[in-house]
Amino acid sequence: MNRIVLLALTLALLATLVYTARNPYQQVIQHSRIRGRQHGPNVCAIQKVIGSNKQYYTNCKQWYQRKICGKSTVISYECCPGYEKIPGEKGCPAALPLSNIYDTLGIVGAATTKLYSDSANLRPEIEGPGSFTIFAPSNEAWAALPAEILDALVSNVNIELLNALRYHMVDRRLLTDELRHGITIPSMYQNLDIHVHHYPNGIVTVNCARLIKADHHATNGVVHVIDKVITAVTNNIDQVVETEDSLETLRAAIAAAGLNELLESEDKQYTLLAPTNEAFEKVPPETLQRILADPAALKDLLNHHLLHSAQCSEAIISGSSIETLEGTPLEVGCLGDELTLNGKAIISKKDILATNGVVHFIDELLIPESAKTISELGKDSVVSTVIDLFRQAGLNSHLVTNESVTVIAPHNNAFKAGTPAIDRDMKSLLQNHIIKDQLSSKYLYHGQILETVGGKKLRVFVYRNALCIENSCIDAHDKKGRYGTLFIVDKLLTPPSGNVMDVLKADNRFSTLVTAIQSAGLTETLNREGTFTVFAPTNEAFRALPRGELNKLLGNANELSNLLKYHIGDEILVSGAVSQLVRIKTLQGEKLEAISRNSTLHVNKEPVTEADMMATNGVVHAISTVFQLPGNEPSDSGLQNRRLAAYSKVSLINARLAPAYSRLMSRMKQQ
């Protein structure tokens, strides 16, 4: 009972804490407070990055990962903002003494800001009456300034240093619940804006400097300690690009794509991942020239470097997927102090703030799939083997031009046994892997006919858990390029060659089956249009029948027809469609059970020896046994022996019944 009451109180406490946390920053503080409550009142858990002076109030995800930007952290417990310890008492029971902003700076670890405020004659203002907010750089932030900048500030304290400090101030009290994402606040230096971003993970930045200690109340305002000295922002993103020599190629590309107006607009906030001149130079000249000469591809390329919101580096403490204007996501993460894109540390310069967002310089061009040719999509991917085969076969022109095609590309795993030699037959086969249209797999439908550049017509089969083109089933999401699309499939495709009877007659393994089909009068059935799946017993399978049984079958057309129909499904079932147990109805009326085990199709528990011989009216699978009709299975000698043993055991137990059991056993042995 006590446990139930305790649990209810705990849940109520958690609910209260979550409810009162009105914004992401307050939520992460509440979580840190919950994690630290065992150490006493008003204690917060802090994660400190090993090997650096960075520390974070912990959210749930980071608490369990024990990592920030891939680096291990240690947990320490400190007083939550606004509280202090009392000697001899547990936790942090006392509220910090309320003083003016000047004195508060010394209490919260911003002694250098306090010192410079004194030097710049700002002290009377932040000691006196009023209502202010100061974003106070930490001692480490001042120390991290380049020496020449710091010297310029302290050598002219009455103008430069005073202006710098007043740019860190706002003439009203602002707590974190008012620091909403994307707002700008006029500073006390010429009303130049301070840019605020409040991220879902609880991190708050001003001009991309992180609030490391927030919401410290003072009698005349509030103090937020930040991890950088911030400077005024006057240029928009387009102007940042215009003024940077290392972005000359990007500047020309933006003008050619007509994106200047977007990057000048103050209506929305963006992050520009700005490729440097060096990044463009790394791209093969023919690829770059093609994209620059294609307005649609160029626009997709540039939009792929634009994120929908301003993303300061200090807000990134783990990986997250962020959508680009082009429409596909980028994985933005971090590794130590480096930002990463799709797992690569290619950001060379970060946090160049603009009035409408932020710019990070990158030293590698991010070419989206929508701007690539088929050849570029497949290169260095899971279908690189077949892309090379297309090149060897002289079919590369279909993969690099503005021809609208869809390429059926087998996964590299399909060539584990080795790559085929390029001869006339292989070239013809590869031509039939190129469809005359740019398609999307999500719009394919069952029974659809696709025409290839090789002149074949391919069928689409839609199953519950698979989408297949002939015998090749789509194995991964499409890769849609500028003009063409890649369908990644599980195996080389086999175009149909003749109807079912043609397939069987062309293979010597099925000569007995062909004779049986003719004897049973089923030739016409399997010659006509239809959707048949034939589980075809080989000659060896028929030879394995008991002596005389085959001749008996061949002499009884009705019985033979019934047996053969039990081997013919009334729908097309390719092996790649069988990911779980499938029951297929036969022409005889009963059902066969198909399942895949260890990448091999099994039917009625028998393995298929060769699958997916495609025909215009169905598919043939070779099997090494002749299925028996349900109810006609031969007696199981093992089962009979087990029954005899059971009868013998009973007779020993009951001697009176022994004669009867003896006669029964005698009759069974004679059967």
Side-chain angles (χ1 to χ4, degrees), residues 304 320-322 329-333 339-346 366:
H304 192 59
S320 62
S321 182
I322 301 178
L330 284 175
E331 289 294 326
V332 181
L339 287 188
T340 60
L341 295 174
N342 293 341
K344 300 168 72 174
I346 60 174
L366 306 171

Side-chain angles (χ1 to χ4, degrees), residues 559 562-566 588 590 627-633:
E559 188 176 339
N562 209 31
L563 177 67
L564 292 178
K565 285 180 179 179
Y566 184 57
Q588 181 266 342
E590 297 286 349
F627 297 143
Q628 296 297 313
L629 285 168
N632 290 349
E633 294 88 349

Side-chain angles (χ1 to χ4, degrees), residues 618-637:
V619 61
V620 174
H621 304 294
I623 57 175
S624 58
T625 188
V626 177
F627 297 143
Q628 296 297 313
L629 285 168
N632 290 349
E633 294 88 349
S635 61
D636 183 343
S637 60

Side-chain angles (χ1 to χ4, degrees), residues 28-29 32 44-49 52-59 62-63 67-69 71 73-76 78 201-203 210-212 227 313-318 334 336-337:
V28 81
I29 289 291
S32 290
C44 283
I46 306 285
Q47 288 204 63
K48 295 184 176 181
V49 180
S52 77
N53 61 357
K54 288 192 172 184
Q55 60 182 39
Y56 298 80
Y57 293 110
T58 184
N59 64 24
Q62 265 60 54
W63 175 262
K67 285 187 177 180
I68 301 288
C69 287
K71 292 212 164 190
T73 61
V74 293
I75 304 293
S76 66
E78 301 178 4
N201 60 5
I203 289 177
R210 180 168 65 94
L211 272 65
I212 53 178
D227 67 349
S313 63
E314 281 298 321
I316 301 169
I317 56 177
S318 62
C334 53
D337 291 330

Side-chain angles (χ1 to χ4, degrees), residues 280-294 367 371 373 375-376 379 396 400:
F280 281 98
E281 289 166 4
K282 291 178 181 178
V283 179
E286 62 276 10
T287 299
L288 185 58
Q289 289 169 12
R290 176 185 61 78
I291 294 175
L292 292 176
D294 182 345
I367 304 178
T373 64
S375 182
E376 290 164 352
K379 184 182 178 183
N396 207 45
V400 298

Side-chain angles (χ1 to χ4, degrees), residues 11 96 111 113 121 146 180 188 201 209 267 309 351 368 412 431-432 442 453 461 484 635:
L11 291 173
L96 283 172
T113 301
N121 294 319
R180 295 183 301 279
M188 291 177 64
N201 60 5
D267 294 338
S309 61
D351 292 336
N412 290 343
Q431 283 180 316
N432 290 313
K442 66 182 178 181
V453 299
F461 304 123
S635 61

Side-chain angles (χ1 to χ4, degrees), residues 119-138:
S119 302
N121 294 319
L122 185 63
R123 177 177 178 176
E125 186 169 10
I126 59 176
E127 271 188 330
S131 182
F132 308 104
T133 296
I134 182 166
F135 298 101
S138 65

Side-chain angles (χ1 to χ4, degrees), residues 24-25 52 86 112 163 171 185 201 204 211 228 274 284 287 336 345 356 377 393 446 457 501 511 565 593-594 616:
Y25 174 79
S52 77
I86 294 178
T112 305
N163 290 342
D171 62 358
I185 308 165
N201 60 5
V204 183
L211 272 65
K228 292 186 184 74
T287 299
N356 57 346
L377 285 174
H446 190 75
K457 299 202 183 288
M501 285 304 297
S511 59
K565 285 180 179 179
E593 292 188 350
T616 54

